[in-house]
Amino acid sequence: MGIRGTGTSELTFNDCVVGDDDVVGKVNEGFKIAMEALNLGRIAVASVTLGLAEAALIEALEWIRNRRAFDQPLSEFEWIQFQLADMMAYIETIRSTVYDAALRLDRKYEDYYAHASMAKLTAVLLGMDVIRRAVQLTGAYGVWSNSKLNRIYRDAKLMEIGEGTNEVQRMVIYKWLSKYLG
């Protein structure tokens, strides 16, 4: 559906033998290593979503600059102005949560994993809304199969699933939050 530029595929190993020297990390600590990779991946997915949302806003702005309705530029319609304002506010909210999660990772804060989940969840929820609005604002162009917005929308859909669904992020966040509920 999306992310067609990646080489994602299924791998199958038959009769594969792995020696002790080939183990990544320490024996019986594979889950911990996998979770660290997922937490880093969540920040990456949030970052990708930020970029997709920004690209969608740029596409919508370009479209709106070049279109008129009822003898006036689209940009003069208050509803369109409000849509663009919301989109920009959402993008900056995404940026803040992504940067905060990355900073917490860099500083090795113990709870950075929860902030990685919050960044991913926030980015996906708000980013998909920005992209949906961009498609809506551009009308038929946004859904045309060869439009950049169509590709952005399809690519962004995977961000809701990759590195853990929105529901998984909510579970991680609540588990972290429940420590403070006593």
Side-chain angles (χ1 to χ4, degrees):
M1 184 173 163
I3 311 293
R4 294 187 178 177
T6 65
T8 305
S9 63
E10 182 179 339
L11 292 175
T12 303
F13 297 95
N14 295 315
D15 302 320
C16 180
V17 178
V18 177
D20 291 343
D21 293 339
D22 299 320
V23 173
V24 176
K26 295 180 183 175
V27 173
N28 296 323
E29 290 189 10
F31 182 76
K32 179 181 175 184
I33 293 168
M35 291 310 300
E36 289 297 317
L38 271 177
N39 290 328
L40 180 60
R42 289 172 178 155
I43 296 171
V45 164
S47 300
V48 168
T49 306
L50 171 61
L52 290 169
E54 288 177 326
L57 176 61
I58 290 167
E59 283 291 302
L61 287 170
E62 195 63 33
W63 179 265
I64 289 164
R65 278 192 198 110
N66 295 311
R67 297 293 182 265
R68 297 177 64 83
F70 307 105
D71 296 321
Q72 63 182 350
L74 286 183
S75 60
E76 291 184 15
F77 289 95
E78 187 174 63
W79 182 84
I80 289 177
Q81 294 169 1
F82 287 178
Q83 296 301 307
L84 295 170
D86 285 352
M87 292 162 72
M88 190 68 227
Y90 291 177
I91 286 169
E92 289 307 315
T93 300
I94 296 166
R95 187 183 325 282
S96 294
T97 59
V98 169
Y99 285 16
D100 179 65
L103 179 69
R104 289 170 179 276
L105 170 64
D106 284 347
R107 292 187 177 168
K108 299 179 181 6
Y109 287 7
E110 188 176 312
D111 66 348
Y112 92 88
Y113 70 93
H115 291 270
S117 285
M118 286 185 257
K120 188 208 181 264
L121 181 63
T122 301
V124 167
L125 293 175
L126 297 181
M128 285 300 290
D129 193 54
V130 167
I131 295 162
R132 180 195 56 77
R133 289 177 192 228
V135 169
Q136 187 71 26
L137 287 170
T138 60
Y141 167 74
V143 294
W144 177 49
S145 63
N146 289 336
S147 76
K148 187 174 182 181
L149 277 173
N150 184 291
R151 181 191 54 81
I152 290 168
Y153 192 86
R154 287 183 286 107
D155 288 351
K157 183 62 186 165
L158 178 61
M159 301 303 120
E160 290 182 312
I161 299 164
E163 308 304 317
T165 63
N166 292 352
E167 293 75 20
V168 168
Q169 303 319 309
R170 289 178 176 114
M171 289 171 28
V172 170
I173 295 164
Y174 181 76
K175 187 175 180 180
W176 170 78
L177 179 62
S178 68
K179 294 177 187 176
Y180 301 102
L181 296 175

